[in-house]
Amino acid sequence: MESANPSIKDLLAPYVGATGGLLSSLRAVNDALGHLPPETEEIAAEVFNLSRAEIKGVISFYADFRRTPPTGPTVRLCVAEACQAAGGRQVERELKAAYSEADISAFGGGTSGDVDQAACAIDYRPVYCLGLCSVAPAALVGDRLVGRANLERIKTCLAAAGEKTR
Amino acid sequence: MSQQPVRFFLPCDSAAISLGADEVAQAMTTAAAADGVRVEIVRTGSRGMHWLEPLLEFECEGVRHGIGPVNPDDAASILRAVVSGKLDLPNAIGPVEEVPFFARQQRLIFSRCGVIDPVSHHQYVDHGGYEGLACALTKTPQEICDIVLNSGLRGRGGAGFPAGIKWKTVADAVDDQKYIVVNADEGDSGTFADRMIMEGDPFLLLEGMIIAGLATGATTGFIYLRSEYPIAAEILSRAIATAYDHGMLGADVKGSGKRFDVEVFIGAGAYICGEETSLLNSLEGKRGEVRAKPPIPALEGLFGKPTLVHNVISLCSVPGILQMGAAAYRNVGVGKSTGTMPFQLAGNVKYGGLFEAGFGVTLGELVNDIGGGVRVGSGVRAVQIGGPLGAYLPPKLFDLPMDYEKMLAAGAGVGHGGIVVFGDDVDLLEQARYAFEFCAEESCGKCTPCRIGAVRGVEVMDRWRAGDDPAAQRELIEDLCEVMVDGSLCAMGGMTPIPVQSAIKHFPEDFVPPAAKRDAAE
């Protein structure tokens, strides 16, 4: 825990004085560490000379800021109207069935299943619009945009992402 | 091996990439190496015909021809066909600009999108770029404001407020610092015009911002971009760096001695930040809660300074207006809805994409003639216009023209020009419930009717679906909607009732609970 502190501070520091610096600095930590560790609040409060309540208020407001690390490759499926119209709800159901609830860390909460399942665990969160409404349903698997998403295409992207990390 | 490389054009637009454009580029390069052919692949924006993506183009006697959608596995055969000139490919579409979907458009804003390399300064200039700015530099701030006012341009984000009035307000405000803030938090489902222009012709947005700066006296601009658009973020950043390198941004814009700086600011995943006051709070690094108006942002905006907050497409319309003149612009469109709008066809639609046309085109023309109706199923049952806070309309209203006033009179709105098409599988009660669910998820929490009302709305819809005294639920919903409209500071709470009430009004059959339907059948 202690060893992480200097790095969080280093990530935050360049944004002091920048326009909207707090938001950008939290993004930098979130991107670098995959989430905002609990001590981020205290460190950011000190770095930006704000109260912890203010920092917590900002962190809790935005969907991008995660309190817990991803439990597997991230899958974000658009659940907004255009994707609903093109069968997005069905894709979401299929995704949830293929990766049992235990394997899905919805909204960044909960944990993945036991160790055996960890290999197939995904970190699923819905997203409201990826701007791919004309090629709906849309998904974001890792950093790969997927138009006309279906379970097969999502699985293919997950496999490719797995290859890359190996 | 020939000296001139065979040149291909392939979009780097998110929609094209989501359908495999990068893989096509890779496969073409590999195939060229195998055949010993020199190829150059120019990454462009998208033409907006997304059912053809990835759409690969090449030049044939000065005319761009297209092949699409391209499968990376076909790269070798495509390359051989193009090199040999024997284009017997099943997915060859001929001259791209002769495709009816494209030929029928009036592209004032998207004229370069899909044509040029989006971050090439020279290609931008060669295709008429910065001509609007050149014109603006010969005018006084007052004259620029007058041109924008006289053009009749209205804010394209959804509210449709006359742009010129906003410009004049900021221009007349006296302060040592003013700002241009671009609202690129395009969160409405069914809309992607901002994304496409930022990915396909980002200099146009910068040019619009610079002109706005000249007119209002603002020297700093921010582009507030949603985090869901990483490709747009990258292209914008490269475009900004290029604009600085060529002296279009910085201390001496185009040698005029005037300063203008631009920065991109990435949001953090909050729909409400598309609301202008919430956006300003977010840009200040705070929670994106809405502010009460007045004071209006034009007088007290970012850090309390006069701020022109504009949607991407509003600003992208400006260089063209300066170029063609206010009167010519006003001649496009209909009534008080002047100029063009990039309409976006989305959801369950056969020919999905972006169609730029003058106002006045009817809903039916867009959905059926141009969009080709549904992609899956037997027919169009409903459309939602203008995002999650827009109305659900049935095909019997398809004669409605895209016109701010006429849409308003029909209880709907043009919004940001997005049209989501639903087929016969849509359940409007479910969509009404979702409108509340979305509001509950995305409400900033400042106004009680929005924060709590949305949650109650979901519950009431669930009881309605279950057949638990539907008449009472209907009454509760009507009451709740009235409170939300009257008691919310911004459009999130104030307009969530629009999809709900339009669904109930136009699709009453979906609000008959299953039990009652059964009884009626017996």
Side-chain angles (χ1 to χ4, degrees), chain A residues 49-125:
Chain A
N49 197 23
L50 292 166
S51 70
R52 269 188 72 176
E54 283 170 286
I55 307 291
K56 188 167 190 158
V58 169
I59 293 174
S60 62
F61 190 85
Y62 297 97
D64 286 359
F65 298 142
R66 305 185 50 122
R67 319 291 192 93
T68 52
T71 53
T74 57
V75 177
R76 305 191 72 184
L77 198 61
C78 177
V79 295
E81 290 90 340
C83 290
Q84 293 168 2
R89 286 191 176 107
Q90 178 64 22
V91 178
E92 190 184 32
R93 279 193 291 273
E94 287 173 12
L95 185 75
K96 284 185 169 169
Y99 298 90
S100 67
E101 287 297 332
D103 298 333
I104 294 180
S105 158
F107 299 98
T111 55
S112 64
D114 50 38
V115 182
D116 290 346
Q117 291 180 334
C120 68
I122 58 167
D123 191 276
Y124 172 69
R125 283 191 301 158

Side-chain angles (χ1 to χ4, degrees), chain A residues 18-24 27 54 56-65 76 78-87 89 107 127-136 139-140 144-148 153, chain B residues 14-15 17-19 23 50 187 189-192 195 222 226-229 231 265 267-269 272 282-288 303 345-348 353 375 384 388 392 420-422 430-431 434 438 441-442:
Chain A
T19 302
L22 175 60
L23 211 59
S24 307
R27 164 168 303 288
E54 283 170 286
K56 188 167 190 158
V58 169
I59 293 174
S60 62
F61 190 85
Y62 297 97
D64 286 359
F65 298 142
R76 305 191 72 184
C78 177
V79 295
E81 290 90 340
C83 290
Q84 293 168 2
R89 286 191 176 107
F107 299 98
V127 59
Y128 296 95
C129 199
L130 293 165
L132 304 175
C133 324
S134 53
V135 294
L140 182 66
R144 179 79 170 81
L145 289 170
V146 187
R148 303 229 190 281
R153 275 168 62 76
Chain B
S14 293
I17 287 175
S18 81
L19 295 174
E23 286 73 13
H50 292 153
S189 177
T191 66
F192 43 84
R195 177 186 64 66
F222 291 99
R226 65 197 299 256
S227 63
E228 291 85 350
Y229 286 177
I231 294 172
F265 186 89
I272 193 62
S282 184
L283 186 48
E284 291 179 9
K286 301 173 188 160
R287 287 166 67 87
F303 300 111
L345 298 167
N348 183 0
R375 185 177 147 85
Q384 188 181 25
Y392 284 100
V420 176
V421 181
F422 291 83
E430 184 59 34
Q431 296 309 121
Y434 173 78
F438 181 70
E441 178 69 28
E442 297 292 341

Side-chain angles (χ1 to χ4, degrees), chain A residues 85-86 148, chain B residues 345-352 364 366-383 395 398 420-426:
Chain A
R148 303 229 190 281
Chain B
L345 298 167
N348 183 0
V349 63
K350 195 168 178 191
Y351 303 122
L366 286 169
V367 173
N368 291 325
D369 303 352
I370 294 153
V374 288
R375 185 177 147 85
V376 179
S378 61
V380 178
R381 178 143 187 265
V383 295
F398 275 12
V420 176
V421 181
F422 291 83
D424 46 17
D425 58 339
V426 66

Side-chain angles (χ1 to χ4, degrees), chain B residues 375-452:
Chain B
R375 185 177 147 85
V376 179
S378 61
V380 178
R381 178 143 187 265
V383 295
Q384 188 181 25
I385 319 175
L389 309 175
Y392 284 100
L393 299 178
K396 68 172 186 239
L397 295 178
F398 275 12
D399 285 341
L400 268 175
M402 296 308 260
D403 171 315
Y404 288 109
E405 276 69 31
K406 294 207 168 117
M407 276 288 165
L408 199 64
V414 175
H416 189 45
I419 300 171
V420 176
V421 181
F422 291 83
D424 46 17
D425 58 339
V426 66
D427 173 351
L428 272 299
L429 189 149
E430 184 59 34
Q431 296 309 121
R433 180 192 184 279
Y434 173 78
F436 281 125
E437 189 187 337
F438 181 70
C439 183
E441 178 69 28
E442 297 292 341
S443 172
C444 82
K446 188 164 181 122
C447 309
T448 314
C450 176
R451 183 183 68 243
I452 296 176

Side-chain angles (χ1 to χ4, degrees), chain B residues 10 20-34 39 41 70-76 79:
Chain B
L10 183 69
D22 287 347
E23 286 73 13
V24 170
Q26 185 61 47
M28 290 300 291
T29 309
T30 307
V39 299
I41 298 170
V70 170
N71 185 325
D73 297 342
D74 299 334
L79 184 64

Side-chain angles (χ1 to χ4, degrees), chain B residues 32-46:
Chain B
D35 279 11
V37 179
R38 279 180 65 210
V39 299
E40 180 192 355
I41 298 170
V42 180
R43 299 303 293 266
T44 64
S46 168

